[in-house]
């Protein structure tokens, strides 16, 4: 039996909540995130703002240059979480197999659901309507037989639409896609593929598995499968997060390495606090450095013992910092992440993060 996977993605979620809660913002270019005179970035923006070329992760100052009439709003995470919980309650009416990707999107496996005569498309339509009835917000949906295709499909008829990719159409659909549209292929990998002459799914399909593995490691096997419409990953409702991190952007560039180190220590304390709350520990420590010219680098170290104590992490931070150019280049952002997470050795239990704790 072919699986039936629905990917639900809220439309311009943060901005839509702001427009709903403040009617004066309706129809206006709303930009949620940092202020234009700060060094923050755009979290998301309304569709009215997107017409000006604004997108998430763009510096707020650049967004203001593109759209000086835009309305910049600070995020209200508590409000977004509350709406997310309402959305999740709608999901639960259909299935227990729910895999959240963020506050505003999730996979649902409805393969064994009898509602709507078993039609995943009709279920997706009902879910979207129920979300609107409860929240007055619109959602888009992608429906297919695997997660990869459902994710891509949800973006096709945005906003407030849905799209179905049938099993018999999956492989042909993937082959006509530009590589940049593949979920899981970022800008760096896209550029590498372009350099190798891979522009579309059809180009990618010409490459044997061994050669893809040679150039892209373990991901090469994944690319080999998805370009053939194959994605066997299950929808997992009990998913342990893979990493936990914290970062900070400075109002003015910093030059003093000792000050940078102190900021990293403070970030490490935040990360460790989060790990302890979730009873998790990791094996890999990563620091992120963004220089004043916006070049971003990371440095990582993997150790045998579990990292759940701030003292252990603080001992490793100077080693990683020494592998950067912070002594010669000013810095605008620093971050700390612990990954390769597993069970805390003191509890012996896997701990599932809260469904809406992933922002």
């Amino acid at each position: 039996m072919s699986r039936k996977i629905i990917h639900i993605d809220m439309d311009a979620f943060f901005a839509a909540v702001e427009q709903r809660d403040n009617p004066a913002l309706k129809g206006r270019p709303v930009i949620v995130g940092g202020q234009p005179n700060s060094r923050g970035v755009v979290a998301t923006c309304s569709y009215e703002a997107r017409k000006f070329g604004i997108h998430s992760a763009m510096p707020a100052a650049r967004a203001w240059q593109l759209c000086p009439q835009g309305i910049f709003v600070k995020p209200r995470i508590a409000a977004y979480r509350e709406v997310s919980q309402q959305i999740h309650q709608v999901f639960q009416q259909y299935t227990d197999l729910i895999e959240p990707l963020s506050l505003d999107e999730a996979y649902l496996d409805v393969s064994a659901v009898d509602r709507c005569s078993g039609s995943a498309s009709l279920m997706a339509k009902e879910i979207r309507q129920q979300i609107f009835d409860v929240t007055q917000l619109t959602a888009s949906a992608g429906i297919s037989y695997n997660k990869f295709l459902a994710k891509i499909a949800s973006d096709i008829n945005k906003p407030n639409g849905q799209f179905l990719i049938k099993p018999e159409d999956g492989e042909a659909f993937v082959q006509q896609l530009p590589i940049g549209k593949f979920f899981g292929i970022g800008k760096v990998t896209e550029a590498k593929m372009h350099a190798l002459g891979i522009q579309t799914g059809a180009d990618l399909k010409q490459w044997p598995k061994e050669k893809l593995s040679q150039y892209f490691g373990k991901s090469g096997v994944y690319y080999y499968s998805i370009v053939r419409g194959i994605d066997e990953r299950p929808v997992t409702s009990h998913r342990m997060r893979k990493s936990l991190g914290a970062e900070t952007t400075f109002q003015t560039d910093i030059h003093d390495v000792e000050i940078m180190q102190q900021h990293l220590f403070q970030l490490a304390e935040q990360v460790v606090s989060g790990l302890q709350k979730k009873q998790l520990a990791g094996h890999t420590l990563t620091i992120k450095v963004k220089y004043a010219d916006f070049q971003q680098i990371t440095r990582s170290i993997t150790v045998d013992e579990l990292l759940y104590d701030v003292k252990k992490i603080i001992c490793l931070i100077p080693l990683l910092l020494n592998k950067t150019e912070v002594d010669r280049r000013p810095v605008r952002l620093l971050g700390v992440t612990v990954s390769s997470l597993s069970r805390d050795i003191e509890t012996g239990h896997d701990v599932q993060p809260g469904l809406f704790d992933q922002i």
Side-chain angles (χ1 to χ4, degrees), residues 147-179:
K147 290 164 67 173
F148 175 76
L149 288 170
K151 171 78 173 176
I152 291 175
S154 66
D155 201 42
I156 291 176
N157 283 330
K158 265 187 167 294
N160 197 24
Q162 62 185 62
F163 190 80
L164 166 69
I165 302 176
K166 298 178 180 179
E168 59 268 27
D169 300 329
E171 187 171 355
F173 181 88
V174 175
Q175 288 187 54
Q176 55 85 34
L177 279 180
I179 285 299

Short mmCIF file of all heavy atoms in Angstrom, two decimals, residues 147-179:
data_model
loop_
_atom_site.label_atom_id
_atom_site.label_comp_id
_atom_site.label_asym_id
_atom_site.label_seq_id
_atom_site.Cartn_x
_atom_site.Cartn_y
_atom_site.Cartn_z
N LYS A 147 7.82 11.98 2.14
CA LYS A 147 8.04 13.28 2.78
C LYS A 147 8.68 14.29 1.83
O LYS A 147 8.29 15.46 1.81
CB LYS A 147 8.91 13.09 4.04
CG LYS A 147 8.19 12.37 5.16
CD LYS A 147 9.12 11.85 6.23
CE LYS A 147 9.78 12.94 7.03
NZ LYS A 147 10.56 12.40 8.17
N PHE A 148 9.65 13.84 1.06
CA PHE A 148 10.34 14.75 0.16
C PHE A 148 9.38 15.42 -0.82
O PHE A 148 9.38 16.65 -0.98
CB PHE A 148 11.43 13.99 -0.61
CG PHE A 148 12.12 14.81 -1.66
CD1 PHE A 148 13.07 15.75 -1.30
CD2 PHE A 148 11.83 14.63 -3.00
CE1 PHE A 148 13.72 16.51 -2.27
CE2 PHE A 148 12.47 15.38 -3.97
CZ PHE A 148 13.42 16.32 -3.60
N LEU A 149 8.54 14.63 -1.45
CA LEU A 149 7.62 15.18 -2.44
C LEU A 149 6.50 15.99 -1.78
O LEU A 149 6.06 17.01 -2.32
CB LEU A 149 7.03 14.05 -3.28
CG LEU A 149 8.01 13.40 -4.27
CD1 LEU A 149 7.42 12.14 -4.87
CD2 LEU A 149 8.38 14.40 -5.37
N ALA A 150 6.03 15.57 -0.61
CA ALA A 150 4.99 16.33 0.08
C ALA A 150 5.49 17.72 0.46
O ALA A 150 4.77 18.71 0.35
CB ALA A 150 4.52 15.57 1.33
N LYS A 151 6.75 17.78 0.91
CA LYS A 151 7.35 19.06 1.29
C LYS A 151 7.42 20.00 0.09
O LYS A 151 7.05 21.18 0.17
CB LYS A 151 8.74 18.81 1.86
CG LYS A 151 9.59 20.05 2.09
CD LYS A 151 9.21 20.78 3.33
CE LYS A 151 10.19 21.92 3.60
NZ LYS A 151 9.81 22.74 4.75
N ILE A 152 7.89 19.49 -1.04
CA ILE A 152 7.98 20.31 -2.24
C ILE A 152 6.60 20.73 -2.72
O ILE A 152 6.37 21.87 -3.11
CB ILE A 152 8.73 19.55 -3.35
CG1 ILE A 152 10.20 19.39 -2.97
CG2 ILE A 152 8.61 20.26 -4.69
CD1 ILE A 152 11.00 18.55 -3.94
N ALA A 153 5.65 19.80 -2.66
CA ALA A 153 4.30 20.07 -3.17
C ALA A 153 3.61 21.19 -2.39
O ALA A 153 2.81 21.95 -2.95
CB ALA A 153 3.46 18.80 -3.10
N SER A 154 3.91 21.31 -1.09
CA SER A 154 3.22 22.32 -0.28
C SER A 154 3.59 23.73 -0.69
O SER A 154 2.89 24.69 -0.34
CB SER A 154 3.54 22.11 1.21
OG SER A 154 4.90 22.37 1.47
N ASP A 155 4.67 23.89 -1.44
CA ASP A 155 5.12 25.23 -1.83
C ASP A 155 4.57 25.65 -3.19
O ASP A 155 4.72 26.81 -3.59
CB ASP A 155 6.66 25.23 -1.87
CG ASP A 155 7.24 26.63 -1.76
OD1 ASP A 155 6.73 27.41 -0.93
OD2 ASP A 155 8.18 26.94 -2.50
N ILE A 156 3.92 24.73 -3.89
CA ILE A 156 3.56 24.99 -5.29
C ILE A 156 2.37 25.94 -5.41
O ILE A 156 2.38 26.85 -6.25
CB ILE A 156 3.30 23.66 -6.01
CG1 ILE A 156 4.62 22.90 -6.16
CG2 ILE A 156 2.65 23.89 -7.38
CD1 ILE A 156 4.49 21.54 -6.78
N ASN A 157 1.35 25.75 -4.59
CA ASN A 157 0.16 26.60 -4.70
C ASN A 157 0.01 27.55 -3.51
O ASN A 157 -1.10 27.88 -3.10
CB ASN A 157 -1.09 25.75 -4.85
CG ASN A 157 -1.24 25.20 -6.26
OD1 ASN A 157 -0.79 25.82 -7.23
ND2 ASN A 157 -1.86 24.04 -6.39
N LYS A 158 1.14 27.97 -2.94
CA LYS A 158 1.10 28.96 -1.86
C LYS A 158 0.71 30.33 -2.41
O LYS A 158 1.08 30.66 -3.54
CB LYS A 158 2.49 29.05 -1.20
CG LYS A 158 2.63 28.18 0.03
CD LYS A 158 3.96 28.46 0.71
CE LYS A 158 4.00 27.86 2.09
NZ LYS A 158 3.07 28.44 3.04
N PRO A 159 0.03 31.14 -1.60
CA PRO A 159 -0.54 30.81 -0.28
C PRO A 159 -1.94 30.22 -0.40
O PRO A 159 -2.61 30.37 -1.42
CB PRO A 159 -0.58 32.17 0.41
CG PRO A 159 -0.84 33.14 -0.71
CD PRO A 159 -0.08 32.58 -1.90
N ASN A 160 -2.37 29.56 0.68
CA ASN A 160 -3.74 29.08 0.82
C ASN A 160 -4.15 28.13 -0.30
O ASN A 160 -5.23 28.23 -0.88
CB ASN A 160 -4.73 30.25 0.89
CG ASN A 160 -6.09 29.83 1.44
OD1 ASN A 160 -6.20 28.84 2.16
ND2 ASN A 160 -7.12 30.57 1.10
N GLY A 161 -3.26 27.17 -0.61
CA GLY A 161 -3.58 26.19 -1.63
C GLY A 161 -2.96 24.85 -1.29
O GLY A 161 -2.33 24.68 -0.25
N GLN A 162 -3.15 23.89 -2.17
CA GLN A 162 -2.54 22.58 -1.97
C GLN A 162 -2.25 21.94 -3.31
O GLN A 162 -2.79 22.35 -4.35
CB GLN A 162 -3.44 21.68 -1.11
CG GLN A 162 -4.80 21.34 -1.70
CD GLN A 162 -5.64 20.53 -0.72
OE1 GLN A 162 -5.98 20.99 0.37
NE2 GLN A 162 -6.00 19.31 -1.12
N PHE A 163 -1.37 20.93 -3.27
CA PHE A 163 -0.96 20.27 -4.51
C PHE A 163 -0.69 18.81 -4.22
O PHE A 163 -0.12 18.46 -3.19
CB PHE A 163 0.30 20.94 -5.08
CG PHE A 163 0.66 20.49 -6.47
CD1 PHE A 163 0.00 21.00 -7.57
CD2 PHE A 163 1.66 19.55 -6.67
CE1 PHE A 163 0.33 20.59 -8.86
CE2 PHE A 163 2.00 19.12 -7.94
CZ PHE A 163 1.33 19.65 -9.05
N LEU A 164 -1.10 17.96 -5.15
CA LEU A 164 -0.95 16.51 -5.02
C LEU A 164 0.04 16.00 -6.05
O LEU A 164 -0.03 16.33 -7.24
CB LEU A 164 -2.31 15.82 -5.23
CG LEU A 164 -2.29 14.30 -5.45
CD1 LEU A 164 -1.87 13.58 -4.18
CD2 LEU A 164 -3.67 13.82 -5.92
N ILE A 165 0.99 15.19 -5.59
CA ILE A 165 1.90 14.47 -6.50
C ILE A 165 1.61 12.98 -6.33
O ILE A 165 1.90 12.40 -5.28
CB ILE A 165 3.37 14.77 -6.19
CG1 ILE A 165 3.65 16.27 -6.30
CG2 ILE A 165 4.28 13.99 -7.16
CD1 ILE A 165 5.06 16.67 -5.92
N LYS A 166 1.05 12.37 -7.35
CA LYS A 166 0.66 10.96 -7.29
C LYS A 166 1.89 10.06 -7.44
O LYS A 166 2.90 10.48 -8.03
CB LYS A 166 -0.35 10.66 -8.39
CG LYS A 166 -1.65 11.42 -8.27
CD LYS A 166 -2.58 11.09 -9.44
CE LYS A 166 -3.89 11.86 -9.34
NZ LYS A 166 -4.80 11.56 -10.49
N PRO A 167 1.79 8.83 -6.95
CA PRO A 167 2.93 7.90 -7.05
C PRO A 167 3.43 7.71 -8.48
O PRO A 167 4.65 7.65 -8.71
CB PRO A 167 2.37 6.59 -6.47
CG PRO A 167 1.31 7.03 -5.52
CD PRO A 167 0.69 8.25 -6.14
N GLU A 168 2.51 7.66 -9.42
CA GLU A 168 2.93 7.42 -10.81
C GLU A 168 3.59 8.66 -11.43
O GLU A 168 4.19 8.58 -12.52
CB GLU A 168 1.74 6.99 -11.66
CG GLU A 168 0.58 7.99 -11.72
CD GLU A 168 -0.48 7.74 -10.66
OE1 GLU A 168 -0.13 7.17 -9.61
OE2 GLU A 168 -1.66 8.10 -10.91
N ASP A 169 3.46 9.82 -10.77
CA ASP A 169 4.02 11.05 -11.32
C ASP A 169 5.30 11.50 -10.60
O ASP A 169 5.95 12.45 -11.04
CB ASP A 169 2.99 12.18 -11.23
CG ASP A 169 1.72 11.88 -12.00
OD1 ASP A 169 1.81 11.17 -13.03
OD2 ASP A 169 0.63 12.33 -11.58
N GLY A 170 5.64 10.85 -9.49
CA GLY A 170 6.72 11.33 -8.64
C GLY A 170 8.05 11.48 -9.33
O GLY A 170 8.70 12.53 -9.28
N GLU A 171 8.51 10.43 -10.01
CA GLU A 171 9.84 10.45 -10.62
C GLU A 171 9.93 11.51 -11.70
O GLU A 171 10.91 12.26 -11.78
CB GLU A 171 10.18 9.07 -11.18
CG GLU A 171 11.60 8.96 -11.69
CD GLU A 171 11.98 7.52 -12.03
OE1 GLU A 171 11.17 6.60 -11.79
OE2 GLU A 171 13.10 7.33 -12.53
N ALA A 172 8.91 11.60 -12.55
CA ALA A 172 8.93 12.60 -13.63
C ALA A 172 8.89 14.01 -13.06
O ALA A 172 9.55 14.93 -13.57
CB ALA A 172 7.75 12.37 -14.56
N PHE A 173 8.15 14.19 -11.97
CA PHE A 173 8.04 15.51 -11.35
C PHE A 173 9.41 15.97 -10.84
O PHE A 173 9.82 17.11 -11.06
CB PHE A 173 7.04 15.47 -10.20
CG PHE A 173 6.86 16.80 -9.52
CD1 PHE A 173 5.93 17.71 -9.98
CD2 PHE A 173 7.63 17.15 -8.42
CE1 PHE A 173 5.78 18.95 -9.37
CE2 PHE A 173 7.49 18.38 -7.80
CZ PHE A 173 6.55 19.28 -8.28
N VAL A 174 10.12 15.07 -10.19
CA VAL A 174 11.43 15.42 -9.62
C VAL A 174 12.42 15.77 -10.73
O VAL A 174 13.23 16.69 -10.59
CB VAL A 174 11.97 14.27 -8.75
CG1 VAL A 174 13.38 14.60 -8.26
CG2 VAL A 174 11.06 14.02 -7.56
N GLN A 175 12.35 15.08 -11.84
CA GLN A 175 13.34 15.28 -12.89
C GLN A 175 13.25 16.68 -13.52
O GLN A 175 14.25 17.22 -13.99
CB GLN A 175 13.20 14.21 -13.97
CG GLN A 175 13.67 12.85 -13.50
CD GLN A 175 13.67 11.82 -14.62
OE1 GLN A 175 14.26 12.05 -15.67
NE2 GLN A 175 13.02 10.70 -14.39
N GLN A 176 12.07 17.28 -13.51
CA GLN A 176 11.95 18.60 -14.12
C GLN A 176 12.28 19.74 -13.15
O GLN A 176 12.34 20.90 -13.53
CB GLN A 176 10.53 18.79 -14.71
CG GLN A 176 9.39 18.56 -13.73
CD GLN A 176 9.04 19.77 -12.89
OE1 GLN A 176 9.13 20.89 -13.36
NE2 GLN A 176 8.63 19.53 -11.64
N LEU A 177 12.53 19.40 -11.89
CA LEU A 177 12.81 20.42 -10.89
C LEU A 177 14.23 20.97 -11.02
O LEU A 177 15.18 20.20 -11.21
CB LEU A 177 12.68 19.85 -9.48
CG LEU A 177 11.30 19.72 -8.84
CD1 LEU A 177 11.46 19.13 -7.44
CD2 LEU A 177 10.60 21.06 -8.77
N PRO A 178 14.41 22.29 -10.87
CA PRO A 178 15.77 22.82 -10.71
C PRO A 178 16.35 22.30 -9.40
O PRO A 178 15.63 22.12 -8.42
CB PRO A 178 15.55 24.34 -10.66
CG PRO A 178 14.17 24.56 -11.21
CD PRO A 178 13.38 23.34 -10.91
N ILE A 179 17.64 22.07 -9.36
CA ILE A 179 18.28 21.52 -8.18
C ILE A 179 18.03 22.39 -6.95
O ILE A 179 17.87 21.90 -5.83
CB ILE A 179 19.80 21.38 -8.43
CG1 ILE A 179 20.06 20.19 -9.35
CG2 ILE A 179 20.56 21.19 -7.13
CD1 ILE A 179 19.59 18.86 -8.79
#
